[in-house]
Amino acid sequence: MKAEIIAVGSELLRPERSDTNSLFITERLNEIGIDVKAKSIVGDDRATLHALVEGALARSEIVITTGGLGPTEDDLTREVVATALGLQLEIDERIVERIRARFASRGLRMPDINRRQAEVPRGAVVLDNPNGTAPGLWIERGDRIVILLPGPPREMRGMFESIVRERLSSKAGLRRLYRRVLRVTGRTESHTEEVVAPSYARWAAGPGSIETTILASYGQIELHLTAQSPDVVTAETALDAATAEVQALLGADLYSTDGRTMEQVVGDLLRKGSMKIAVAESCTGGLLASRLTDVPGSSDYVERGIVAYSNAAKVELLGVPAEVIEEHGAVSEPTAIAMARGICLQSGAAIGIGVTGIAGPGGGTERKPVGMVCIAVARPGLSPSDSHVRTFRFLGGRGLVKSQASQAGLDMVRRWLLEVP
Amino acid sequence: MKAEIIAVGSELLRPERSDTNSLFITERLNEIGIDVKAKSIVGDDRATLHALVEGALARSEIVITTGGLGPTEDDLTREVVATALGLQLEIDERIVERIRARFASRGLRMPDINRRQAEVPRGAVVLDNPNGTAPGLWIERGDRIVILLPGPPREMRGMFESIVRERLSSKAGLRRLYRRVLRVTGRTESHTEEVVAPSYARWAAGPGSIETTILASYGQIELHLTAQSPDVVTAETALDAATAEVQALLGADLYSTDGRTMEQVVGDLLRKGSMKIAVAESCTGGLLASRLTDVPGSSDYVERGIVAYSNAAKVELLGVPAEVIEEHGAVSEPTAIAMARGICLQSGAAIGIGVTGIAGPGGGTERKPVGMVCIAVARPGLSPSDSHVRTFRFLGGRGLVKSQASQAGLDMVRRWLLEVP
């Protein structure tokens, strides 16, 4: 079954307001196997709301609205939905009494305008609102279900949990959604898709009916696999098989199949090997160390970090030979190697990493453009020529160069620890 | 003029994903006097996207889409918009060449599927994307304008700021919004509001009809002042006067009135004083150094940073006396002072900062709970007792403790440099 969500209220169109109700509803719907096809936000505007409700009804079995159930003139949802479904609105005197009692319990008289909140399209089921005056409504018309919920999150959530979820579950049957997030690094979105896409159709036709979405951001690609099945074993088995296929296709470029971030994967590998890491950074300016230490418990394996921006700091703190900088430049593979070796030796850590590059926007030359970053990984006792070193050319502004370089550095550590290229 | 925004991408319908692009676009549209009538989020689903585009075109003069411009099969926006407008798609070979060059600059071959990104509806204006492969499109058809922007926020924002805003402004006419962002630190939202709120009504009634919004996040409060006027001088004069009032009310807690971040403010002060800074971090794990070096040109004033997670590293690298750690603990004001003094002395920097604390989730005790952070600022030649030191108790998880501690550390440097409490 497919659902659409429509949030109603001009205040929701302000630039600082997110519609969090739809996130909650989406999560609950997904749990009972209902997919959300689209969601919209609309102001207190009759014509637009009418058009959106009609459009949603034409496409989807379930339409859920939030908001616009208050007592004032700009609360239009009841009226617009009734019109779209061709239903009469009638005052339900039991609701009037309930609202009146709610006011009375606070020592207040019910204002007349609150009678509007007792208007019910003929045939609708009234959903009690223990947390507010506006009742919800459940309307079935042919094979369509329209559910009107109040806008305040506390009222909407209470009503969803206590009544709506149960009623929808029994309509939706037992099909559930199961999801797997696969994280990829070291190749572009299109290079990933080129390799994986030929399997999409087969997965979709197979058990679990897996749908695949590919998502790209700088330095990282995510494949989202969603299986749909009444049966957890079928779904998980299908997801396992698809994941194994991707693994075979992408090899070590697939770095996470269980939602872990790159810094968590690296941290787990270090912990498993009882190894400590030390970080020498120039252009990433502390970001790589900061990412490593974002992981709870990382003090177990992060030994130290040094941000050596100046050449003097590289020489003094990391023991980079001045002649290496002179001969090859501060941004060069020999300097990166010397940084990695230096931090490794001085700290006694099992693995050292050195990052030097040009984050921009200034400082680039034709031979060494902005975005060029050299990264080296070293272990104690290894000669410079045996250290692992790479030169990258990242695109984007200063922040993106820093984030891609930190990702690439962590990935080099990961591959080294896994002994894969 | 009225606009609608349609965000395209199945991933945007996941329960944990908000569509932040539409908030940015709404803000920018409001600034040039364009109202947003509705916004929608739709998956990579041809029929639904088509229906939403058609509906929006029927109601609103401007339709802006984000996302779905990638090279893969599920990127449908170009095709669906062209169909809805009755326009042919044609490959633009100049775009193919630009994409090919972008791949080549990274030493990569352009996969064939990327040719899709060069498809352009006949008559459309191509909007350059300096930050990615997908160009944007600007299509006028009768009195309707449809603008296709890429989904990645950085690409979308760059394109909006550099081209779209200007083109839309000239369409939208002359009633403009002017905005000022005032950034505050060191007090809570309610304490800020208490002091500033009495002026709101007067500003709203005065020239420029200034509206005030207060926005809070951990460690920072923003006041957004928005003036509305056909006349730039009236608006800017009113904003200047309101800003001066806030300055008088909040004193040094108001740290930015021109959109600069805390790290930019600190960087500008350091540069003005021709001073260098060195950073010794424990619980922030490199984040403070990373924020300082987010600013272009920061290599002029960031001397070095050391992430000393272990006690051994604090002693060895920073010269913290082992007895200080033993007597007071690694998380203590004396240790923070010794860290700041140590990095200052060893680097010869004019100002040193030391941060030590418990980022959590583990490691807290009753006397030293998670979120307790000691921060010290030192200058060469100053005795320990003259160093500036403070102990904070931050709320929130590990990431929030790190970010609040980095903000507080930068703010202590700022106040020291300004010689204000």
Side-chain angles (χ1 to χ4, degrees):
Chain A
M1 283 178 108
K2 301 278 185 184
E4 294 194 33
I5 304 170
I6 302 173
V8 187
S10 295
E11 75 285 2
L12 295 172
L13 290 170
R14 297 195 46 170
E16 73 280 7
R17 277 293 293 270
S18 297
D19 162 36
T20 52
N21 279 342
S22 73
L23 303 181
F24 171 89
I25 294 172
T26 300
E27 186 172 17
R28 291 300 183 276
L29 291 177
N30 287 174
E31 280 168 10
I32 53 176
I34 298 172
D35 246 351
V36 175
K37 207 184 179 75
K39 45 190 205 176
S40 299
I41 301 172
V42 55
D44 304 311
D45 158 4
R46 196 180 309 264
T48 308
L49 178 56
H50 186 94
L52 287 173
V53 169
E54 278 209 322
L57 279 169
R59 289 183 297 265
S60 300
E61 291 104 318
I62 301 167
V63 179
I64 300 180
T65 69
T66 58
L69 298 181
T72 66
E73 266 178 45
D74 60 5
D75 291 304
L76 301 165
T77 310
R78 274 180 300 266
E79 191 186 322
V80 168
V81 168
T83 309
L85 291 170
L87 295 171
Q88 285 285 325
L89 280 178
E90 293 166 347
I91 293 269
D92 181 331
E93 290 297 336
R94 283 164 307 181
I95 300 179
V96 176
E97 275 325 299
R98 230 175 288 154
I99 298 173
R100 203 189 303 282
R102 204 178 154 83
F103 274 94
S105 74
R106 301 166 59 197
L108 299 171
R109 177 188 64 78
M110 182 189 89
D112 274 350
I113 55 165
N114 281 80
R115 285 182 67 86
R116 281 174 60 99
Q117 294 188 295
E119 290 176 347
V120 172
R122 189 173 292 176
V125 176
V126 175
L127 309 174
D128 249 9
N129 182 356
N131 302 314
T133 54
L137 296 168
W138 174 292
I139 311 167
E140 294 191 28
R141 186 79 164 158
D143 62 346
R144 295 307 196 233
I145 301 172
V146 186
I147 305 164
L148 281 60
L149 300 175
R154 206 169 83 89
E155 301 182 25
M156 184 281 293
R157 289 176 186 215
M159 202 176 281
F160 199 101
E161 299 286 17
S162 65
I163 324 173
V164 176
R165 190 221 299 258
E166 188 52 39
R167 291 183 73 112
L168 277 177
S169 298
S170 68
K171 295 276 175 192
L174 288 167
R175 293 180 78 78
R176 300 267 309 255
L177 299 182
Y178 302 85
R179 200 162 258 144
R180 200 70 58 89
V181 175
L182 311 187
R183 296 200 163 120
V184 179
T185 194
R187 49 173 86 203
T188 67
E189 179 184 18
S190 10
H191 287 111
T192 306
E193 173 113 330
E194 226 176 15
V195 173
V196 183
S199 311
Y200 290 178
R202 186 162 37 77
W203 292 341
S209 321
I210 293 173
E211 273 185 41
T212 317
T213 319
I214 189 162
L215 277 176
S217 64
Y218 281 80
Q220 178 164 305
I221 312 293
E222 286 184 2
L223 281 167
H224 291 205
L225 308 182
T226 311
Q228 209 180 87
S229 168
D231 158 26
V232 53
V233 178
T234 306
E236 294 291 351
T237 310
L239 286 171
D240 286 346
T243 303
E245 262 189 74
V246 176
Q247 189 108 53
L249 290 166
L250 299 181
D253 290 351
L254 179 66
Y255 71 83
S256 168
T257 61
D258 54 7
R260 283 181 306 160
T261 60
M262 178 64 85
E263 47 270 30
Q264 284 175 314
V265 170
V266 169
D268 289 346
L269 287 169
L270 288 166
R271 192 187 297 280
K272 201 172 133 203
S274 303
M275 282 186 271
K276 294 206 173 210
I277 191 167
V279 185
E281 303 180 65
S282 177
C283 67
T284 43
L287 179 61
L288 208 159
S290 183
R291 284 185 61 180
L292 278 170
T293 59
D294 278 344
V295 181
S298 49
S299 49
D300 292 349
Y301 52 77
V302 177
E303 212 286 332
R304 69 183 60 175
I306 287 182
V307 179
Y309 239 52
S310 64
N311 287 350
K314 290 184 185 80
V315 173
E316 261 176 57
L317 284 175
L318 298 169
V320 177
E323 20 341 328
V324 168
I325 299 183
E326 219 159 279
E327 189 178 337
H328 303 280
V331 178
S332 66
E333 296 198 343
T335 299
I337 293 173
M339 290 169 69
R341 283 168 55 80
I343 192 96
C344 203
L345 293 175
Q346 74 161 240
S347 67
I351 187 161
I353 176 158
V355 185
T356 179
I358 299 153
T365 64
E366 200 168 320
R367 271 193 54 242
K368 297 188 177 180
V370 167
M372 174 174 155
V373 179
C374 302
I375 306 180
V377 177
R379 280 187 302 190
L382 218 61
S383 74
S385 59
D386 286 335
S387 298
H388 188 42
V389 65
R390 285 187 62 186
T391 298
F392 299 86
R393 301 222 168 164
F394 300 118
L395 297 177
R398 187 175 179 89
L400 279 171
V401 170
K402 282 181 69 176
S403 85
Q404 292 173 92
S406 72
Q407 180 79 351
L410 290 169
D411 190 43
M412 282 177 66
V413 173
R414 178 184 70 93
R415 289 175 198 259
W416 180 301
L417 291 168
L418 288 172
E419 298 177 355
V420 296
Chain B
M1 285 177 106
K2 300 278 185 186
E4 294 195 30
I5 304 169
I6 303 173
V8 187
S10 295
E11 74 282 4
L12 296 172
L13 291 170
R14 297 195 46 176
E16 75 280 9
R17 278 292 294 268
S18 301
D19 162 35
T20 52
N21 280 342
S22 74
L23 304 181
F24 171 89
I25 294 173
T26 301
E27 185 172 17
R28 291 300 185 274
L29 291 176
N30 288 175
E31 281 169 10
I32 53 175
I34 298 172
D35 252 353
V36 174
K37 206 183 180 79
K39 46 189 207 178
S40 299
I41 299 172
V42 55
D44 304 311
D45 158 4
R46 198 179 307 265
T48 310
L49 178 56
H50 186 94
L52 287 173
V53 169
E54 279 208 323
L57 278 169
R59 290 182 298 267
S60 300
E61 292 104 318
I62 300 167
V63 178
I64 300 179
T65 70
T66 59
L69 298 183
T72 64
E73 266 178 48
D74 59 6
D75 293 304
L76 300 166
T77 310
R78 273 180 299 263
E79 191 185 321
V80 167
V81 168
T83 309
L85 293 170
L87 295 172
Q88 286 284 327
L89 279 179
E90 293 165 347
I91 294 267
D92 181 332
E93 289 297 337
R94 282 163 309 180
I95 302 179
V96 176
E97 274 324 299
R98 228 172 291 155
I99 299 173
R100 203 189 303 280
R102 206 177 153 83
F103 274 93
S105 75
R106 300 170 61 194
L108 298 172
R109 172 188 66 78
M110 182 189 89
D112 274 348
I113 54 168
N114 281 79
R115 284 183 67 86
R116 282 174 60 99
Q117 294 189 294
E119 290 177 347
V120 172
R122 190 172 292 176
V125 176
V126 175
L127 309 174
D128 250 9
N129 182 354
N131 303 314
T133 54
L137 295 169
W138 173 292
I139 310 169
E140 295 191 29
R141 186 81 164 157
D143 62 346
R144 296 306 197 234
I145 301 172
V146 186
I147 305 164
L148 281 62
L149 300 176
R154 202 171 145 272
E155 300 182 25
M156 185 281 293
R157 289 176 186 215
M159 204 177 280
F160 200 99
E161 299 286 17
S162 65
I163 322 176
V164 176
R165 190 220 300 258
E166 189 52 39
R167 290 183 73 113
L168 278 176
S169 298
S170 68
K171 298 271 174 194
L174 287 166
R175 191 178 133 277
R176 299 269 308 255
L177 302 179
Y178 300 85
R179 192 163 265 140
R180 199 68 60 88
V181 176
L182 311 187
R183 295 199 163 120
V184 180
T185 194
R187 52 173 82 203
T188 67
E189 181 180 16
S190 24
H191 286 111
T192 307
E193 174 115 325
E194 215 172 30
V195 173
V196 183
S199 312
Y200 290 178
R202 188 163 35 78
W203 293 341
S209 320
I210 293 172
E211 272 187 42
T212 316
T213 318
I214 191 162
L215 280 175
S217 64
Y218 281 80
Q220 177 164 306
I221 314 294
E222 286 184 0
L223 282 166
H224 290 209
L225 308 183
T226 311
Q228 210 181 87
S229 169
D231 158 27
V232 51
V233 178
T234 307
E236 294 292 349
T237 309
L239 287 171
D240 285 345
T243 302
E245 265 191 70
V246 176
Q247 188 106 54
L249 291 167
L250 299 181
D253 290 352
L254 178 66
Y255 72 84
S256 169
T257 60
D258 54 8
R260 282 181 307 160
T261 60
M262 179 65 87
E263 47 271 29
Q264 284 175 314
V265 170
V266 169
D268 289 344
L269 288 169
L270 289 166
R271 192 187 295 280
K272 201 171 132 202
S274 303
M275 283 185 272
K276 295 205 172 212
I277 190 167
V279 185
E281 303 180 65
S282 176
C283 67
T284 43
L287 180 61
L288 208 158
S290 183
R291 283 185 62 180
L292 278 169
T293 59
D294 278 344
V295 181
S298 49
S299 49
D300 292 349
Y301 51 78
V302 177
E303 213 287 331
R304 70 183 60 175
I306 287 181
V307 179
Y309 239 52
S310 65
N311 287 351
K314 290 186 185 78
V315 173
E316 259 175 60
L317 285 175
L318 298 170
V320 177
E323 342 41 288
V324 169
I325 299 181
E326 220 159 276
E327 191 179 335
H328 303 279
V331 178
S332 65
E333 296 198 345
T335 300
I337 292 173
M339 289 169 70
R341 284 170 53 79
I343 191 95
C344 202
L345 293 175
Q346 74 160 239
S347 67
I351 187 161
I353 176 158
V355 185
T356 178
I358 299 154
T365 64
E366 201 168 319
R367 272 193 53 242
K368 297 188 177 179
V370 167
M372 175 174 153
V373 179
C374 302
I375 306 181
V377 177
R379 280 186 303 188
L382 220 61
S383 74
S385 59
D386 285 332
S387 298
H388 188 42
V389 64
R390 288 187 61 187
T391 297
F392 299 86
R393 301 225 167 163
F394 300 117
L395 297 177
R398 187 175 179 88
L400 280 173
V401 170
K402 282 181 70 176
S403 84
Q404 292 173 91
S406 72
Q407 180 80 349
L410 290 171
D411 190 44
M412 281 176 68
V413 173
R414 179 184 70 94
R415 289 174 199 259
W416 180 301
L417 290 169
L418 288 172
E419 298 178 354
V420 296

